[in-house]
Amino acid sequence: MKASSLKQVLYLSYDGLTDPLGQSQILPYLAGLSAKGYLITIVSFEKPDKFEASSRKITQYCAENNLLWEPLVYHKSPPVFSTAYDLLALRKKVQQLHRERNFSIVHCRSYITALLGLWLKNKYSIRFIFDMRGFWADERVEGGLWNSGNPLYKYIYTFFKKREKAFLQHADAVIVLTEAAREVVLTWSPNYKVTVIPCCVDLNLFDPSKIMDTQKIALRTKLGLSADDYVLLYLGSIGTWYLWNEMVAFFRTLQEHKPSSKFLVLTPDRNLVEGDKDFIVLSVAREEVPLYISVSNLSVCFIKPSFSKKGSSATKMAEVLAMGVPVVSNAGWGDVEFFRDRLKNMYVSEDTKELPPLNHYRSENQDEFFRDLFSLESGIMKYDQVYRTLLS
């Protein structure tokens, strides 16, 4: 298919493609959409250290999947002013790119880039997708990242809440991660065009049938695990929203029932973990994660419940569930109660120290439900439907 016959899409992300999130939650979707006939230009903001380490791999991936990548440098300090500087660089870049490529759609990941998306819609009549993810401004305040008592951050919060309303009103399509978020948004106006697409998982990578018993045995030996050790897993970042102290307390309760328990923590934030001989704390490459999940018996994911977290969908939870390992979570965030009623290996508790039955499993019909909701193919199909609706 010639490039001139493809529909031109501009994808804007303030997260970098060289970040772990970019590699798990941006690139696989866009590669799938590219295969469906869209010529996608990605503008992302890259942190210099991660860019140096991973840019060659990302460049190759984009070339193999017919994705055009235009990386910009992310600036962290001084706060606020560095973001304003990045937005000016983004505006200059997208004007140049639109003159060259005449985009039909601008797809904006979260609020920062949506400022440019709405501007492009108003100036050039480009179809605008507000992929809001969660309630970002509220997350910043509730997570303690913006001090609402500080006049500057109070102004910024008010500014983005007003912009949020404008994004929702003028977007040609709105994407949220959860049914709970969709219900909230539609109470603000039933006319908003809202589609739910949760954080999906690549079931070709996270496939338990591809892990051999010999691999599991070798890894358990490498980790110093005996055949009788019961392994609790935590996968992902630590801090801000994740109730780390409660997860440690849960592990201690587990040890009372299973004294040989070990806590396997796979995180990029190794320096934040203080444990003892029963803690195994590692950072591993994404392609290694399925094997490490497979040696676990149970996983825990406790997230601070709040208004903003109604919009959250945990990628790591879907990845663990895909590997057939049961997950324990707390109530009050995202769609966890919805999943609890449909997945026998999903346990949701009001008390974070409460142990679940330790014999969870997923039945055949739940596999089908899981694939329909969480598979990467399903997510790509839903995005494709949004694109096709706008282009028609």
Side-chain angles (χ1 to χ4, degrees), residues 106-140:
V106 56
H107 183 163
C108 299
R109 181 183 174 87
S110 197
Y111 289 52
I112 296 290
T113 57
L115 294 168
L116 267 295
L118 183 56
W119 176 78
L120 284 168
K121 176 182 172 67
N122 292 334
K123 185 173 179 65
Y124 299 110
S125 299
I126 301 173
R127 298 288 190 180
F128 165 44
I129 298 175
F130 178 35
D131 201 337
M132 70 184 293
R133 318 306 294 167
F135 302 105
W136 180 73
D138 295 287
E139 282 186 346
R140 307 294 286 184

Side-chain angles (χ1 to χ4, degrees), residues 114-175:
L115 294 168
L116 267 295
L118 183 56
W119 176 78
L120 284 168
K121 176 182 172 67
N122 292 334
K123 185 173 179 65
Y124 299 110
S125 299
I126 301 173
R127 298 288 190 180
F128 165 44
I129 298 175
F130 178 35
D131 201 337
M132 70 184 293
R133 318 306 294 167
F135 302 105
W136 180 73
D138 295 287
E139 282 186 346
R140 307 294 286 184
V141 171
E142 292 177 356
L145 300 172
W146 289 351
N147 179 4
S148 56
N150 181 308
L152 175 60
Y153 284 115
K154 183 176 181 180
Y155 169 80
I156 294 171
Y157 173 77
T158 302
F159 170 81
F160 273 107
K161 289 302 287 185
K162 289 180 179 178
R163 290 288 85 195
E164 176 184 71
K165 184 176 181 180
F167 299 154
L168 292 167
Q169 286 179 335
H170 298 290
D172 297 287
V174 176
I175 310 296

Side-chain angles (χ1 to χ4, degrees), residues 298-312:
L298 182 69
S299 180
V300 62
C301 179
F302 292 157
I303 293 179
K304 179 181 175 182
S306 68
F307 163 74
S308 65
K309 300 317 285 181
K310 289 179 181 290
S312 290

Side-chain angles (χ1 to χ4, degrees), residues 321-360:
L321 288 169
M323 294 299 296
V325 174
V327 172
V328 181
S329 187
N330 60 307
W333 67 275
D335 285 339
V336 288
E337 287 91 347
F338 175 76
F339 303 144
R340 173 194 59 200
D341 297 337
R342 290 160 178 80
L343 295 171
K344 288 187 177 180
N345 64 344
M346 179 82 202
Y347 189 83
V348 179
S349 175
E350 300 292 340
D351 181 358
T352 56
K353 290 186 180 180
E354 179 185 351
L355 290 180
L358 300 178
N359 58 347
H360 286 191

Side-chain angles (χ1 to χ4, degrees), residues 24 47 57-58 105 130 135 165 188 201 254 262 371:
S24 67
K47 301 169 184 66
K57 179 178 73 172
I58 302 302
I105 292 173
F130 178 35
F135 302 105
K165 184 176 181 180
W188 297 342
V201 56
L254 177 64
K262 303 292 183 182
R371 286 182 173 274

